[in-house]
Amino acid sequence: MIRPSAGPSNRAVEIGTALAFTAAGGAALWDSLRLGIGWGTDGPQSGTFPFWIGLALVAASTGTLVQAARTRGELGIFASWPQLRLVASVLVPNILYVAAIPFAGIYVASAVMVAWFMRRLGGFGWARSVLAGIATAVATFVIFEIWFLVALPKGPLETALGY
Amino acid sequence: MTLHGSSRRTLLLGLGGGALASVLATPALAQRAWEPTRPVQFIVPAGTGGGADQMARVIQGIVAKHGLMKQPMVVVNKAGGAGAEGFLEAKGARGNPHMVVITLSNLFTTPLATGVPFTWQDLTPVAMLALDEFILWVNAESPWKTVADFTVAARTERLKLGGTGSKQEDQIIGVALAKAMGGNLTYVPFRGGGEVSVQLVGKHIDATVNNPIEAVTHWRSGALRPLCVFDSQRLAGTEKMTETAAWSDIPTARESGLDVEYLMLRGIFMAPGVKPEQVAFYEGLMARVRETPEWRELMQQGAFNTTSMTGEAFRAWLTKEESRHRTLMQEAGFLA
Amino acid sequence: MEELGLLMQGFAVALEPQNMLLMLVGVVLGVLIGVLPGLGGANGIAILLPLTFAMPPVSAIIMLSCIYWGALFGGAITSILFNIPGEPWSVATTFDGYPMAQQGRAAEALTAAFTSSFVGAFVAIVMITFVAPVIAGFALRFGPPEFFAVMFLSFASFVGMSRGPALKTLMAMMLGFLLAAVGMDTVTGQLRMTFGSTEMIRGFDFLVAVIGLFGISEILCSIEDGLRFKGQRAKIDLKVVLRVWKTLPRHWFLAARSALIGCWMGITPAGATPASFMSYGVARRMAKDPSSFGKGRIEGVIAPETAAHAAGTSALLPMLTLGVPGSPTAAVLLGGLIMWGLQPGPMLFVEQKEFVWGLIASMYLGNIAGLIVVLVAVPWFAAILRVPFSIIAALILVVCAIGAFTVSNAEFDITLMLVFGVVGYVLKKLDYPLAPLVLALVLGDRTEEAFRQSLLISQGSLGVFFSNWLVSTIMALGIALLLWPALSWARGLLAGGVLRRPRPA
């Protein structure tokens, strides 16, 4: 058993985030220079605004980075491991769900995710979970596909059913 | 509130049997080889409220009102990247017969100006519905009564020309216009034709080259004044739109001594790789749409050039227009 | 007087039993559209279109405008219950509405939100009825410089009230601006920061970002404390509505000010989103204890909701008189007008008097019908929070994915939403404020556009922002608001007080 107070330190996450911000700002600077940051034939060039924004972003992130790097240990932890495990229990199925949508279609994927959540996180019985999953898929199908005429991503099952 | 597809469909059919619809729909209801089996997405590669959007919504209304199609038509705006979003979607929907796209000049200008990879050949041309005209508008309170007045002003001071989008039809006309007058025009881009008209009424800009339908209501209320139309001949409408003037009273640019001509395509395209009988269905559908009184009213109100083409003639026209746009945009320095 | 007669006629038509029923259908449908992110006016039109041809135009427009009201009311529901704003102008409602729900005061927040929406919209309709012609002309004064000034004022009233550390606030805001700039630059027609990807051409849609940043990240944050939602044990019955109503008259001044801000922002074509942010910002500044905002103050719900709906409603005025739709939802009504062959614009009020006044009458009644429907449903909405976490979390994730997809029919957007969700989770935990990010993302590109249009018009001179009394006044007001913190700091210094900056942990 891991101590409940253990976990990734806030300092590390702070530094990582600040670096990511700096990178975003850097990408903006690079692209702005390609577009031009002066005064063109039709007013300020496209890159002018993103350039200054990017510059401000890089400056501010560097400041945060320095602040975080200077602090030693007093920042505590970002989240404890058990907490992160709980987060993962929602996040990982959700990632798989999003990854499955292009192949299985949104209805089948939704049914599976709802059933999984109810079974694993809610402790419902298999029968009820699966039924609820199917009900969700059918309800969304009726509302969106039939009623509101919105075409959502569909997979092999829907094709087989003629949609 | 559960309104299922079946009941709605019955309703639609019921309407189709209504007095107006039966007159129009019966002759064409003879055996049709292919029909849509799902709702048809009608993609508008422009924002809500613009000329293309208005036309798409009128077509949607006509199709529903006269029961021209058993499946409903759903208008979807995909304006991102000057319409590139909508065109790329159609390009990617190879073989999908339940998608049509209405086009405007950005079919030619967007790939040329941005380098986004698509051309009209990536789509299946169905029909040209009409050509949209362009008119030079100024505020009715401005001292410019004729093109000559305007030209003099443009030579002595820098006038502000408002238009929709950047490096698209309005700006192309603006560049050609400035060149023909030998004057200066600063082009100020806005998001849509309606907004441009309002900016001109509020005197924040000096002139626009709006389509007739985008400005007609302000003309009739006495806020705007048309100077010339960028077509080879005058507009057809002889009905009085204001107390004194009809569409046909607006001189052409050439009559006023400016060699500028521009018409914009309002056409229907499908995704690539669709079957000929599917194209034929939409050709027939559009032909019937054009026969309705609602369509005629739109054409008259917006002073459209009602030329229409399908098949080979349409393809030939598209080929010619594409190369003309390339030349125009090259001259203006708009190529990506 | 002729107008009033026409209005009464409109009421008579709208009050026919058949039309009352249509109103109810319209409102319910509208609430559904408002609750499900991603469904918009176009979908409402799609289902109703065949129906509307079977009825007289007045009945049809009554139904369409009721969809409009329903959608306006519905937007607040998900903001308060799940921190997911369905529409841009519901973002500010989440700031205090969601904390209230977490404290078990969801029903209270919903009642306050619905009632203030009603009040805001009602004030705007009265204004449309009586002073329409005078006010419509005012919108014409707004060119690019004035538009920029209004945007600047929105930012100024909101900036400086963020609770996060200054550097992080700056970073969040700059990131918002950057995200807003991705895609096509409308002024030069060039593609920016797409790095060759065709998926990026669209840019970052506000809704996709917010569903992730607010909705998904909130689920991730709340799950840390266990597999349940806070605020489940809310006392819920219809009496809560009456109880909250008793306390509402106390906030009349706040509501009046917010409605005024809303009407003004709706007529100047800035719209509902800046109105809601500005109203929230002003309410916070004027409060005796600004630091309690964002922790579940009822004022934080009343201010943005009143302003947003006053703005959304008064934005119908420029649409009718000038033909420019103020919001995507207003496009529902615009679409309806065009479908019946009515060209919106200055001639509409002259040539189609009966229709216009029928529409205005339906606004009054639709608004009232909407209020009744949503208030009766308050207990049910609040009861959603009692559904077990495992079910509701999965359903929220499904609805979020559908919402992200339907914004522009792109599967890529679902992935993007998830990325925003994780980013939101990390940023929230590290004390980065998300509100400035969203504000910049929503208003960023319009602001930049207006700024550059102004400079094009002025040939690059910044003097254009002080070229007439209107734009100068708005700019001066904005600058004053920006300097407010500095001024009060200086005042404190002069008074000899020790400088203390309370910072919440």
Side-chain angles (χ1 to χ4, degrees):
Chain A
M1 192 66 202
I2 310 161
R3 278 177 302 124
S5 58
S9 81
N10 244 339
R11 183 164 168 263
V13 185
E14 282 275 14
I15 290 176
T17 313
L19 283 175
F21 269 98
T22 316
L29 287 182
W30 181 69
D31 195 64
S32 310
L33 290 173
R34 174 184 70 84
L35 289 166
I37 57 167
W39 181 279
T41 48
D42 40 9
Q45 284 173 318
S46 287
T48 316
F49 183 73
F51 177 80
W52 291 105
I53 295 293
L55 206 61
L57 185 57
V58 169
S61 334
T62 314
T64 310
L65 189 67
V66 170
Q67 266 181 9
R70 273 188 176 172
T71 333
R72 296 257 165 241
E74 296 104 50
L75 280 163
I77 57 163
F78 178 74
S80 70
W81 291 117
Q83 278 179 331
L84 284 180
R85 193 176 312 138
L86 274 175
V87 171
S89 71
V90 168
L91 188 57
V92 171
N94 200 19
I95 291 172
L96 294 176
Y97 167 69
V98 171
I101 287 173
F103 308 101
I106 206 163
Y107 299 109
V108 174
S110 300
V112 172
M113 187 173 70
V114 169
W116 171 264
F117 265 62
M118 284 180 69
R119 178 79 193 101
R120 280 304 297 258
L121 304 180
F124 290 87
W126 270 118
R128 282 172 81 184
S129 307
V130 171
L131 248 146
I134 293 172
T136 309
V138 170
T140 39
F141 189 85
V142 169
I143 292 181
F144 286 92
E145 214 73 37
I146 296 178
W147 195 11
F148 280 104
L149 306 175
V150 177
L152 297 180
K154 286 181 279 289
L157 180 68
E158 288 88 352
T159 317
L161 290 173
Y163 278 94
Chain B
M1 221 10 242
T2 44
L3 192 72
H4 288 282
S6 54
S7 65
R8 195 184 53 248
R9 209 157 294 145
T10 341
L11 229 159
L12 245 173
L13 283 174
L15 282 172
L20 255 173
S22 58
V23 179
L24 286 148
T26 6
L29 270 177
Q31 303 93 27
R32 234 186 274 135
W34 182 87
E35 264 183 83
T37 51
R38 272 187 249 163
V40 174
Q41 263 198 52
F42 197 169
I43 294 185
V44 180
T48 44
D53 182 61
Q54 283 196 24
M55 188 175 274
R57 283 173 200 280
V58 168
I59 293 175
Q60 178 197 25
I62 290 174
V63 170
K65 185 170 180 182
H66 296 294
L68 301 183
M69 197 164 73
K70 284 182 189 148
Q71 291 289 340
M73 202 172 226
V74 186
V75 174
V76 187
N77 294 84
K78 289 193 167 269
E85 185 192 352
F87 289 122
L88 287 176
E89 165 124 354
K91 182 185 173 184
R94 171 165 285 279
N96 179 354
H98 296 104
M99 181 189 280
V100 289
V101 194
I102 190 164
T103 60
L104 41 156
S105 282
N106 61 0
L107 175 66
F108 306 119
T109 54
T110 299
L112 288 172
T114 61
V116 176
F118 73 86
T119 71
W120 67 268
Q121 275 125 336
D122 291 327
L123 307 172
T124 311
V126 176
M128 174 196 287
L129 293 175
L131 292 172
D132 211 343
E133 304 278 358
F134 287 84
I135 290 177
L136 179 63
W137 300 93
V138 293
N139 192 302
E141 288 167 29
S142 73
W144 311 310
K145 299 260 188 313
T146 63
V147 171
D149 298 342
F150 187 74
T151 308
V152 170
R155 282 185 188 149
T156 48
E157 55 186 308
R158 191 169 261 279
L159 297 181
K160 290 161 295 209
L161 177 77
T164 307
S166 186
K167 296 180 184 164
Q168 293 177 40
E169 61 279 355
D170 284 8
Q171 195 172 6
I172 291 175
I173 299 174
V175 170
L177 184 64
K179 206 169 108 189
M181 294 191 303
N184 283 317
L185 290 175
T186 300
Y187 181 78
V188 187
F190 292 90
R191 293 209 167 189
E195 198 182 331
V196 176
S197 287
V198 173
Q199 292 293 326
L200 182 59
V201 175
K203 297 182 197 161
H204 303 287
I205 47 180
D206 299 310
T208 77
V209 288
N210 268 342
N211 301 127
I213 199 155
E214 291 169 335
V216 58
T217 169
H218 298 288
W219 181 34
R220 298 185 54 211
S221 73
L224 298 186
R225 176 188 300 144
L227 293 186
C228 70
V229 56
F230 297 102
D231 196 349
S232 53
Q233 58 203 14
R234 288 194 177 200
L235 299 176
T238 49
E239 218 172 290
K240 288 267 179 282
M241 297 300 284
T242 68
E243 274 170 27
T244 52
W247 285 120
S248 59
D249 294 328
I250 305 170
T252 66
R254 198 171 300 240
E255 281 175 53
S256 323
L258 292 176
D259 185 19
V260 182
E261 238 184 80
Y262 193 90
L263 286 166
M264 175 153 74
L265 169 68
R266 300 282 188 205
I268 298 287
F269 287 70
M270 289 176 75
V274 288
K275 299 195 181 80
E277 64 264 29
Q278 292 164 341
V279 177
F281 169 81
Y282 290 104
E283 267 182 27
L285 182 71
M286 291 308 152
R288 271 173 292 142
V289 165
R290 273 205 307 276
E291 284 162 20
T292 59
E294 288 86 355
W295 179 263
R296 282 199 211 106
E297 197 190 312
L298 175 76
M299 289 295 107
Q300 191 237 328
Q301 213 184 10
F304 284 91
N305 180 326
T306 52
T307 314
S308 105
M309 293 176 200
T310 53
E312 275 314 306
F314 188 27
R315 283 178 175 278
W317 185 89
L318 286 167
T319 315
K320 203 184 76 203
E321 272 303 283
E322 189 183 32
S323 68
R324 193 168 82 97
H325 274 92
R326 187 178 294 278
T327 320
L328 279 170
M329 292 186 62
Q330 194 155 25
E331 281 169 11
F334 290 166
L335 289 186
Chain C
M1 273 305 100
E2 189 204 353
E3 276 82 6
L4 273 185
L6 287 166
L7 184 63
M8 288 306 145
Q9 246 174 41
F11 275 128
V13 176
L15 282 172
E16 283 167 21
Q18 175 212 352
N19 290 340
M20 299 277 279
L21 191 73
L22 288 178
M23 268 190 220
L24 206 66
V25 173
V27 167
V28 172
L29 211 59
V31 170
L32 193 62
I33 290 176
V35 167
L36 295 173
L39 279 187
N43 309 108
I45 287 268
I47 12 174
L48 282 184
L49 190 65
L51 283 175
T52 53
F53 288 119
M55 55 178 83
V58 179
S59 303
I61 199 73
I62 287 174
M63 199 151 142
L64 284 188
S65 76
C66 281
I67 290 202
Y68 183 72
W69 296 115
L72 284 183
F73 282 120
I77 298 171
T78 44
S79 307
I80 290 172
L81 296 183
F82 305 121
N83 207 27
I84 303 171
E87 309 280 356
W89 52 81
S90 310
V91 173
T93 311
T94 64
F95 298 157
D96 278 273
Y98 183 67
M100 281 178 80
Q102 282 185 312
Q103 294 157 16
R105 292 157 67 206
E108 195 185 330
L110 285 171
T111 308
F114 293 149
T115 314
S116 356
S117 308
F118 171 80
V119 170
F122 198 82
V123 170
I125 305 171
V126 171
M127 187 199 66
I128 290 181
T129 314
F130 293 102
V131 285
V134 189
I135 301 245
F138 189 62
L140 288 173
R141 293 175 164 275
F142 278 75
E146 288 81 8
F147 194 84
F148 172 78
V150 171
M151 288 300 181
F152 175 70
L153 183 59
S154 307
F155 277 109
S157 60
F158 202 78
V159 163
M161 57 166 284
S162 170
R163 278 168 300 141
L167 267 183
K168 288 183 174 176
T169 307
L170 186 66
M171 284 163 71
M173 193 170 231
M174 293 304 138
L175 186 66
F177 277 124
L178 273 192
L179 293 176
V182 172
M184 172 152 291
D185 172 9
T186 43
V187 177
T188 62
Q190 282 169 300
L191 292 174
R192 295 197 293 201
M193 290 181 281
T194 59
F195 302 104
S197 151
T198 50
E199 294 283 6
M200 303 275 272
I201 289 177
R202 276 194 308 276
F204 290 99
D205 187 273
F206 153 83
L207 211 54
V208 176
V210 150
I211 290 174
L213 284 175
F214 282 49
I216 304 278
S217 81
E218 191 52 44
I219 292 184
L220 297 180
C221 276
S222 61
I223 204 172
E224 280 186 356
D225 307 327
L227 295 172
R228 59 178 190 84
F229 270 123
K230 292 174 205 154
Q232 282 173 346
R233 285 163 292 106
K235 255 193 296 171
I236 303 158
D237 55 81
L238 256 184
K239 275 190 222 120
V240 80
V241 174
L242 299 175
R243 216 174 48 241
V244 176
W245 271 14
K246 255 184 230 151
T247 68
L248 285 181
R250 205 185 307 153
H251 305 294
W252 68 272
F253 182 70
L254 173 74
R257 189 182 56 214
S258 306
L260 208 68
I261 293 178
C263 286
W264 190 70
M265 295 290 275
I267 295 160
T268 74
T273 312
S276 64
F277 279 109
M278 192 188 280
S279 175
Y280 185 90
V282 172
R284 188 177 183 273
R285 270 168 202 266
M286 298 292 171
K288 285 196 200 81
D289 47 348
S291 59
S292 67
F293 270 76
K295 294 174 188 162
R297 289 258 313 232
I298 199 165
E299 290 92 334
V301 175
I302 295 173
E305 281 290 311
T306 314
H309 294 84
T313 310
S314 49
L316 291 177
L317 193 59
M319 184 194 91
L320 291 173
T321 55
L322 300 171
V324 185
S327 72
T329 329
V332 181
L333 295 177
L334 190 71
L337 294 182
I338 294 168
M339 217 84 74
W340 286 294
L342 301 171
Q343 186 76 38
M347 298 312 281
L348 193 69
F349 270 83
V350 182
E351 291 170 348
Q352 305 282 349
K353 274 199 175 117
E354 278 176 42
F355 175 85
V356 169
W357 289 103
L359 174 65
I360 292 177
S362 83
M363 287 183 182
Y364 279 100
L365 296 170
N367 198 17
I368 294 170
L371 182 70
I372 294 171
V373 169
V374 290
L375 279 184
V376 168
V378 160
W380 291 326
F381 291 138
I384 297 176
L385 288 179
R386 285 185 178 166
V387 176
F389 176 85
S390 60
I391 301 179
I392 203 75
L395 288 181
I396 291 177
L397 293 176
V398 169
V399 169
C400 284
I402 293 177
F405 175 82
T406 45
V407 167
S408 46
N409 282 323
E411 281 170 10
F412 178 71
D413 281 351
I414 306 181
T415 314
L416 210 55
M417 168 203 80
L418 195 59
V419 172
F420 272 116
V422 176
V423 169
Y425 168 69
V426 173
L427 293 189
K428 232 182 246 184
K429 294 224 51 161
L430 293 180
D431 209 12
Y432 283 86
L434 292 181
L437 196 165
V438 172
L439 183 72
L441 177 59
V442 180
L443 304 182
D445 57 339
R446 297 302 307 251
T447 311
E448 184 201 354
E449 194 181 285
F451 184 72
R452 288 167 61 188
Q453 283 166 345
S454 310
L455 287 188
L456 274 175
I457 287 175
S458 73
Q459 295 288 303
S461 154
L462 287 171
V464 72
F465 297 115
F466 296 93
S467 55
N468 61 50
W469 65 267
L470 180 63
V471 65
S472 314
T473 314
I474 306 174
M475 287 301 286
L477 211 58
I479 292 170
L481 273 177
L482 263 190
L483 295 179
W484 185 308
L487 287 177
S488 53
W489 175 77
R491 205 177 51 196
L493 215 63
L494 284 178
V498 184
L499 185 68
R500 268 184 307 159
R501 293 198 112 184
R503 229 193 80 187

